Amino acid sequence: MYHFSTYKEQYKATLKLAFPVVLTQLGQIMVQFADNVMVGRYGGEDAVPLAAVSFANSVFFLFFIAAIGISFGLTPLVGELYAQKREERSVELFQSGVRLYLLIGVVSSLLLWGFIPALYHMGQPHEVVDMAIPYYRYLTYSMPFTMLFFSSKQLLEGLGNTRAQMAATILCNLLNIGLNWVFIYGKFGFKEMGAEGAGLATFLARSLLPLLMFGYMFLRERYRIYFRRFRLFAWSREDTATLLRIGFPISAQVFLESSAFVFIGIMMGWFSTAAISANQIIQTLANAAFNIVMSVGVASTIRVSHNYGVRNFDEISLAAKSSYHLAILWNSFAALIFILFRYEIAHLFTANPEVIELTARMMPLIALFQLSDGIQNVSVGVLRGLQDVKAIMPIAFVAYIVLNLPIGYLLGFSFNMGPNGLILSFTVGLTSAALLMIRRIRKRMRTLRSETSTPPAIMS
């Protein structure tokens, strides 16, 4: 039976970590929201600019999420070492992480650039691709800076500091919005760049992020140790293997989940430009809800990793359950907003009547999968904290590739449900992921408890 008193302190501990991440995610949402509103309003009743930004972001996001997903492995590793007070080992992992993640950022930029010719072969309207490419190019330039930022961000999260990323991200997000206004509309003597201007603003803002984070760490005595004896090209195979062992399955999980959203977005282009634009609005709203609950998932990773370091399984269980409660509360609220204000929200993004109507019809469908999305997100956070990440990759493959995408195609095209059918398939994918991950957590906890309670063998 639920008792608030049992979880009161748990909620406080989770929210203390989650709140700065919430503000960080709100900043990200604000930028995404501003990008879409500014580009959408720039286009007026012309849906092409918003569709171009949507398409470019969809393709870029697959490479982006796969790259940053690898960096997520640093947080639980540092969290466990932090609980065990093994600071020198954390320093070694961080320095290896900086080298590895910077290399991944450079390689990602090259791959993204080389993928440009393929954009014309993805079934999208030609005018949409033409406008998307200049915006897309600026996103490719930002990848090395993004990976440097995530190396410091994931380290500080493992140490229980979520405030530094909040301050840096909000500052850069405000800069992004201001530069959007300058470059999109051509203010202060700059030429009017439209959708391309939004890309330039994003590149400049992301370039500043790692400078702020590394500057903060260097100026604080507590974190300066992470720069001692730093050698950029001193490669450690052992540390690299450790980071990839945890990071690669996480990367694969977020890549597979994101693939479902990206390929559904591409399939939207097989209907019409209006469907692409409506889907961009829908995905912006779904990401807004997800990014907030993701902060709870981050907090659960940090709290679980700290308790895992000292093998406190009762605290792990309470931390996980309290995170589920908070996620369910938030996603229920988001679902209600999506249903009640679907037309009002659509009008904020565009003046195109067809896009508004399509968006309003799809919004109750994204409300439908909010609870599942929240539960699977927290579950991933718990499994990361337990360093049990191998299972999340096959779970994601089954949920999103085996179920979500084929069902979306069948509903959208074979059963003639159109864009609504594509969106409805997310309920199947996210619910499947949530159930399978909860099952995995229960199995992992039983194993850990039994290993701890088993007395050591007597050596003869």
Side-chain angles (χ1 to χ4, degrees):
M1 183 179 292
Y2 173 83
H3 295 287
F4 179 75
S5 58
T6 304
Y7 295 99
K8 181 179 178 181
E9 294 305 316
Q10 298 292 328
Y11 295 148
K12 287 182 180 179
T14 299
L15 290 173
K16 183 179 179 180
L17 289 169
F19 186 67
V21 186
V22 168
L23 294 181
T24 302
Q25 297 306 321
L26 281 173
Q28 298 281 23
I29 292 165
M30 184 169 60
V31 168
Q32 188 180 33
F33 184 85
D35 273 359
N36 286 294
V37 168
M38 287 178 164
V39 172
R41 288 293 175 183
Y42 173 82
E45 293 195 7
D46 182 5
V48 171
L50 185 57
V53 169
S54 172
F55 176 58
N57 273 317
S58 293
V59 177
F60 171 79
F61 189 71
L62 273 182
F63 292 86
F64 172 82
I65 201 66
I68 69 169
I70 294 177
S71 74
F72 292 170
L74 184 61
T75 297
L77 290 169
V78 171
E80 181 185 15
L81 294 170
Y82 173 77
Q84 296 171 352
K85 304 187 186 306
R86 297 170 59 192
E87 189 174 61
E88 286 294 333
R89 181 63 183 136
S90 294
V91 172
E92 293 171 0
L93 278 177
F94 169 66
Q95 293 190 357
S96 293
V98 171
R99 291 186 283 265
L100 174 62
Y101 303 149
L102 177 60
L103 176 62
I104 290 172
V106 172
V107 172
S108 298
S109 285
L110 295 174
L111 290 174
L112 282 160
W113 184 269
F115 197 74
I116 289 176
L119 299 179
Y120 284 103
H121 303 284
M122 300 180 73
Q124 307 302 298
H126 199 280
E127 66 274 15
V128 169
V129 180
D130 283 343
M131 191 174 290
I133 286 176
Y135 174 85
Y136 175 88
R137 284 198 183 105
Y138 280 115
L139 298 184
T140 70
Y141 303 149
S142 71
M143 279 304 302
F145 301 98
T146 298
M147 293 306 296
L148 284 175
F149 165 69
F150 271 91
S151 67
S152 57
K153 171 183 174 292
Q154 301 309 130
L155 168 77
L156 292 177
E157 283 184 1
L159 299 173
N161 181 344
T162 55
R163 295 188 177 185
Q165 60 163 302
M166 173 192 71
T169 305
I170 289 177
L171 180 63
C172 289
N173 287 340
L174 291 173
L175 174 65
N176 195 344
I177 291 173
L179 293 177
N180 269 346
W181 182 70
V182 172
F183 296 137
I184 292 174
Y185 298 103
K187 304 296 182 180
F188 301 117
F190 288 91
K191 70 173 184 178
E192 184 180 306
M193 298 175 68
E196 182 181 5
L200 176 57
T202 298
F203 165 69
L204 293 174
R206 287 180 180 172
S207 300
L208 182 60
L209 271 172
L211 297 178
L212 292 176
M213 290 292 282
F214 281 101
Y216 167 81
M217 290 178 63
F218 189 77
L219 292 174
R220 297 291 297 271
E221 182 64 31
R222 177 187 174 189
Y223 304 119
R224 199 173 297 162
I225 186 176
Y226 291 92
F227 295 102
R228 291 177 188 169
R229 302 183 303 277
F230 188 87
R231 291 179 296 166
L232 183 61
F233 300 105
W235 204 263
S236 168
R237 290 185 180 181
E238 179 186 348
D239 289 348
T240 301
T242 299
L243 291 167
L244 290 174
R245 175 177 59 83
I246 302 296
F248 180 75
I250 296 174
S251 172
Q253 179 265 322
V254 294
F255 175 81
L256 291 169
E257 181 180 351
S258 301
S259 294
F261 285 89
V262 168
F263 284 110
I264 290 293
I266 290 172
M267 282 190 265
M268 287 286 180
W270 301 348
F271 289 110
S272 66
T273 300
I276 303 176
S277 297
N279 182 66
Q280 176 66 0
I281 298 171
I282 288 296
Q283 298 300 346
T284 299
L285 297 170
N287 285 338
F290 174 81
N291 283 333
I292 297 301
V293 81
M294 187 175 75
S295 64
V296 179
V298 169
S300 66
T301 296
I302 297 169
R303 294 196 63 213
V304 168
S305 68
H306 289 178
N307 286 296
Y308 178 70
V310 294
R311 300 305 189 261
N312 188 338
F313 300 119
D314 289 337
E315 260 322 282
I316 289 174
S317 180
L318 287 172
K321 288 177 181 178
S322 65
S323 294
Y324 283 123
H325 298 164
L326 293 171
I328 290 170
L329 180 65
W330 162 254
N331 283 98
S332 298
F333 171 75
L336 188 63
I337 294 298
F338 293 157
I339 293 170
L340 294 179
F341 300 102
R342 54 192 183 276
Y343 280 99
E344 289 82 357
I345 293 173
H347 275 282
L348 291 174
F349 288 87
T350 182
N352 185 295
E354 185 181 0
V355 175
I356 291 171
E357 187 59 37
L358 277 173
T359 302
R361 274 192 265 142
M362 288 192 286
M363 284 183 69
L365 299 176
I366 68 167
L368 191 61
F369 63 70
Q370 287 306 301
L371 291 182
S372 298
D373 199 16
I375 292 170
Q376 69 87 24
N377 182 56
V378 171
S379 298
V380 170
V382 173
L383 288 169
R384 289 176 186 171
L386 294 172
Q387 297 183 29
D388 182 22
V389 294
K390 288 184 179 179
I392 62 178
M393 182 167 56
I395 288 173
F397 181 78
V398 170
Y400 304 119
I401 305 303
V402 175
L403 295 176
N404 196 332
L405 285 174
I407 289 174
Y409 183 87
L410 286 172
L411 294 177
F413 297 95
S414 299
F415 290 91
N416 296 317
M417 293 180 66
N420 285 355
L422 297 180
I423 297 298
L424 188 60
S425 67
F426 287 120
T427 300
V428 177
L430 291 167
T431 302
S432 300
L435 294 173
L436 291 170
M437 287 181 187
I438 288 174
R439 181 185 176 191
R440 178 65 185 185
I441 291 170
R442 289 176 174 174
K443 180 180 180 180
R444 178 63 172 160
M445 289 298 293
R446 285 196 301 267
T447 301
L448 289 171
R449 288 181 187 275
S450 65
E451 290 174 350
T452 305
S453 61
T454 301
I458 299 175
M459 299 294 293
S460 57

